[in-house]
Amino acid sequence: MAGTGKAHLRDRAETLVRVEDLVMEFPAPGGKKVHAVSGISLDVAEGETLGIVGESGCGKSTTAKAMIQLPPPTSGSVEFDGTDITKLSPEELRQMRTDLQIIFQDPISSLNPRRKVGEVVAEPLRVWGPSDKNEQRVKVDTMLDAVGIDPDVARDKRAHEFSGGQCQRISIARALVLEPRVIICDEPVSALDVSVQAQILNLLEDLKAKYNLTLVFIAHDLAVVKNISDRVAVMYLGKLCEVSESNELYANPAHPYTSLLLGSSPEPDPLATINLEVVEEADLPSPINPPSGCRFRTRCPRATELCERVEPQIQKVTDNHYVACHFPLVEVEDLDETAVSALPQHEGK
Amino acid sequence: MESRGTVGRVDRKILVVEDLKTHFKLPAGMVKAVDGVSFDLKQGQTLGVVGESGSGKTVLSRTIMRLTLGNNVHTSGRVSFEDRDILSLSNKEMQKIWGLEMAMVFQDPMTSLNPVVKIGRQVTEHVRKHLNVSKSEAKATALQLLKGVRIPEAEARFNAYPHQLSGGMRQRVSIAIALACGPKILFADEPTTALDVTVQHQILNLLNLQQQERHMAMILVTHDLGVVAGRTNDIAVMYAGKIVEKAPTWMLFSRVQHPYTEALLRSIPRTNQKNHTRLSAIAGRPPDLINPPQGCKFSPRCPYAQDKCREEEPTLQAAQSDEHQFACWYPVGTPENKEAFEKNLAAQLPQTLAFAEGKVVDESVIDNAVALSGGGS
């Protein structure tokens, strides 16, 4: 069993992006494979922000980038607005790209240093029109203005003349200029100072409302993800652990991994409880040779022999909360049939 | 939960810093990276130094440790470490202090460790040089240290190269090296910024544990208020090369006085807030350190700033208790502060709107205001 189930997927009519059984493998030396993403299914409703969190190497960026075919996944499907974009011809995919844009982590290196900001933002328009220069200029100015940059000042400057926060705003303007429907935000605030981070998060919220955007927001900071997301997916070593409405996820984490992440997140509050016991480093499994069964079992305090043998399937906790765990931290509504049928005679509890 | 930082014993001051200034001479002018910092640190205590990039926090710790910052540096003031004037010592005399009495853990363990030397040798080298022991004794000490920083299978890892270890393991090795000769003070400069949250948590716990076991003083430099919240005795908040507020940790969070500290705290999203909570933003960006704004350096971005703030720079003064110091004319929570806020809100100042409503303000708006008022470049 490669996938971890699709119980959490909503009706197709409600969603704009639907990823099923996404697998991404990269070749490794010695004929081995890096299992970066192993059977992820996710969906995003129109106008929703989906947050993806996890530690480095969990496949969160790979998943989000595969959603826009950068690069196309090894297997699995990505439906956008009812079309499976993994099956499109290169030209059809190219046409589709205007709707799918991305913002990267490092704002400075994602802008061409030799080009003027006006040109950088106008670049997508040169490909997709309007061909009229004046019309292009009006659009560029509107977008720069929308991200809070004065177009008259910025137009003829180059990226190095701006701060990191301003460069990130310029990248956002560039992503917006084609009026996309989905924007993938790949750690857009990780490289920024905290005071600037708040401005970018507020800006993304404003733009999302103004242009009816759908966002996929990747970050390793749990508080940032909660702030911006409607729904959050927690990933571990190429697998999905938990998907939930964000307030619910943070209030009632069901997966031991989510709970571990929340417990490790540094809170700016001297009265917050800190577990001072944890000193040893967990043995991190390799994505080249991931553990059998549940991939988190090697670090999980609740793991049993069942977790080693049977991969947990995604099951419902409440209406908008799903978890892939044999022994979740909260009551689960419907017991997972496949896991139960795989149980040996003695009970695995 | 039970113990956070070291509380207890009355200890002597191990480090006294007075009016320390570190300026860099550049063609464009003098960069005042550290501009008049004073504080002291007692044995066994942890001080958190918090600031954004460019606030001078790293230069401060490197100046105190006398690490070479370049030949265009002008340092003045006094650093007294165990009654020795650090700034006037020769390099030769410093060599008896580095590693033995003062040590540092850097942000990126991949660049602070030598990539072509096995980690065992990197630890023993240090022990042998400073403690003058035999090869086998040094190895035994090194193994002890590696076990102390909880490196599993230390014997096997002894012959590993840094690239064969995970980021967290590498940082543990750097900590082992720093602790090797039992320093009296440990500088940890963003020791966990490059690490995942779960690993960050372990490393911070490890530093706490070692600091308590050894009754060592520690300066924890970070940009993240979350990292220092439950783990330090005192916190100093730096802005534009100066300490703007300093207090015992609990006091800083519960009775915040400086608007910058307040703004930092309110701009950080928290996991116990509802999603889509509008964040208080700090408009603008950190000031140019060659031509800083006149008056209070934070005034162009401050939601409460008045004319006085733009003209006259406040100095560090004590709040209700001597332990709590801040540099502000309109400290948070006072009637004057409230009045200033109402006034600025009525005048629709961009920085006040950014703070009150999370309004998105372009940095150039603030920069232009600084230029008009005669400050800045």
Side-chain angles (χ1 to χ4, degrees), chain A residues 132-191:
Chain A
D132 181 57
K133 284 272 186 252
N134 279 328
E135 257 181 82
Q136 281 188 9
R137 194 177 170 126
V138 172
K139 274 204 149 179
V140 168
D141 287 2
T142 318
M143 282 309 154
L144 283 174
D145 200 46
V147 298
I149 298 250
D150 183 350
D152 294 325
V153 178
R155 201 181 294 122
D156 293 324
K157 288 188 176 174
R158 289 181 171 78
H160 70 90
E161 295 175 76
F162 294 92
S163 70
Q166 286 177 312
C167 285
Q168 198 56 287
R169 290 173 192 225
I170 294 165
S171 339
I172 295 173
R174 177 179 58 182
L176 279 174
V177 78
L178 291 175
E179 295 164 25
R181 294 173 70 187
V182 178
I183 298 186
I184 310 280
C185 310
D186 189 4
E187 303 245 17
V189 294
S190 308

Side-chain angles (χ1 to χ4, degrees), chain A residues 2-52:
Chain A
T4 42
K6 296 175 205 168
H8 60 295
L9 292 187
R10 290 165 285 189
D11 193 58
R12 273 200 170 73
E14 294 173 38
T15 57
L16 182 63
V17 182
R18 186 182 171 101
V19 175
E20 280 184 61
D21 301 319
L22 188 81
V23 175
M24 191 66 132
E25 286 165 355
F26 300 104
K32 291 178 195 148
K33 276 183 203 155
V34 177
H35 302 269
V37 177
S38 308
I40 294 264
S41 301
L42 277 174
D43 57 9
V44 197
E46 181 139 32
E48 186 179 64
T49 301
L50 171 73
I52 307 182

Side-chain angles (χ1 to χ4, degrees), chain A residues 49 54-57 60 146-150 153 161-166 169 192-206 208 220-231 245-247 250-251 257 260-284 299, chain B residues 1-4 51-54 148-150 152 157 166-169 172 195-206 208-209 223-227 229-231 249-250 253-254 260 264-265 267-286 301 354 357-364 367-368:
Chain A
T49 301
E55 291 171 287
S56 43
K60 55 190 189 299
V147 298
I149 298 250
D150 183 350
V153 178
E161 295 175 76
F162 294 92
S163 70
Q166 286 177 312
R169 290 173 192 225
L192 305 176
D193 266 321
V194 277
S195 69
V196 181
Q197 170 181 298
Q199 299 173 34
I200 298 292
L201 290 173
N202 284 345
L203 175 69
L204 283 170
E205 292 273 23
D206 290 350
K208 185 187 148 194
H220 61 270
D221 184 324
L222 285 118
V224 167
V225 166
K226 181 177 180 188
N227 182 272
I228 197 155
S229 307
D230 300 297
R231 220 169 181 232
E245 188 277 322
S246 44
N247 295 313
Y250 287 75
Y257 180 58
L260 172 72
L261 281 181
L262 280 171
S264 310
S265 174
E267 284 289 305
D269 175 4
L271 300 175
T273 317
I274 300 178
N275 178 0
L276 293 172
E277 304 295 306
V278 196
V279 181
E280 263 100 63
E281 182 150 336
D283 203 6
L284 288 184
R299 291 171 67 183
Chain B
M1 177 73 201
E2 71 288 2
S3 67
R4 30 188 81 234
E52 293 180 274
S53 39
V149 295
R150 310 293 192 278
R157 296 267 160 82
S166 66
M169 284 298 168
R172 283 165 200 266
L195 305 172
D196 272 320
V197 278
T198 52
V199 185
Q200 162 168 300
H201 187 81
Q202 301 150 9
I203 297 288
L204 291 172
N205 279 351
L206 175 70
N208 256 20
L209 191 79
H223 67 280
D224 189 343
L225 276 163
V227 164
R231 301 181 183 275
T249 304
W250 67 272
F253 283 89
S254 57
Y260 176 62
L264 267 187
L265 278 168
S267 66
I268 307 172
R270 297 173 188 222
T271 50
N272 57 11
Q273 279 169 342
K274 241 184 117 0
N275 61 348
H276 305 302
T277 300
R278 192 78 179 172
L279 300 167
S280 288
I282 308 178
R285 57 173 137 178
R301 306 173 74 190
E357 302 163 10
K359 186 171 183 278
V360 176
V361 178
D362 182 27
E363 288 159 23
S364 60
D367 293 349
N368 292 344

Side-chain angles (χ1 to χ4, degrees), chain B residues 10-209:
Chain B
V10 182
D11 287 305
R12 66 202 165 81
K13 286 177 187 172
I14 186 169
L15 181 74
V16 180
V17 176
E18 279 168 22
D19 197 28
L20 187 66
K21 290 183 181 168
T22 309
H23 295 175
F24 296 91
K25 197 170 182 207
L26 292 187
M30 200 68 108
V31 179
K32 302 179 184 94
V34 174
D35 200 21
V37 167
S38 307
F39 67 90
D40 49 55
L41 185 63
K42 287 183 184 142
Q43 194 182 356
Q45 299 265 302
T46 303
L47 171 72
V49 177
V50 182
E52 293 180 274
S53 39
S55 63
K57 56 191 193 301
T58 296
V59 174
L60 173 68
S61 56
R62 294 194 180 200
T63 308
I64 298 172
M65 256 196 94
R66 275 275 307 275
L67 297 184
T68 318
L69 292 161
N71 16 357
N72 56 343
V73 182
H74 294 253
T75 308
S76 68
R78 204 169 74 89
V79 177
S80 163
F81 172 63
E82 299 245 282
D83 303 321
R84 276 164 297 180
D85 184 0
I86 289 289
L87 297 182
S88 69
L89 294 184
S90 69
N91 273 351
K92 203 157 188 181
E93 286 166 310
M94 277 310 292
Q95 274 168 8
K96 295 191 191 117
I97 293 180
W98 285 325
L100 280 168
E101 297 185 55
M102 285 180 163
M104 191 175 236
V105 178
F106 297 90
Q107 176 174 343
D108 182 1
M110 198 61 219
T111 50
S112 66
L113 294 175
N114 188 334
V116 295
V117 175
K118 291 174 181 168
I119 63 157
R121 208 184 120 201
Q122 298 198 45
V123 185
T124 48
E125 193 173 52
H126 195 64
V127 174
R128 289 190 66 196
K129 176 162 168 54
H130 287 297
L131 302 182
N132 208 6
V133 292
S134 75
K135 221 170 179 173
S136 58
E137 277 175 306
K139 182 166 181 181
T141 315
L143 280 174
Q144 206 69 45
L145 283 163
L146 292 177
K147 284 177 189 156
V149 295
R150 310 293 192 278
I151 292 188
E153 297 159 49
E155 286 86 355
R157 296 267 160 82
F158 202 78
N159 287 320
Y161 289 98
H163 77 267
Q164 293 169 311
L165 304 179
S166 66
M169 284 298 168
R170 276 181 224 140
Q171 197 57 296
R172 283 165 200 266
V173 174
S174 336
I175 294 172
I177 294 173
L179 296 175
C181 303
K184 292 176 185 151
I185 182 165
L186 181 71
F187 292 83
D189 187 0
E190 302 260 16
T192 57
T193 307
L195 305 172
D196 272 320
V197 278
T198 52
V199 185
Q200 162 168 300
H201 187 81
Q202 301 150 9
I203 297 288
L204 291 172
N205 279 351
L206 175 70
L207 283 170
N208 256 20
L209 191 79

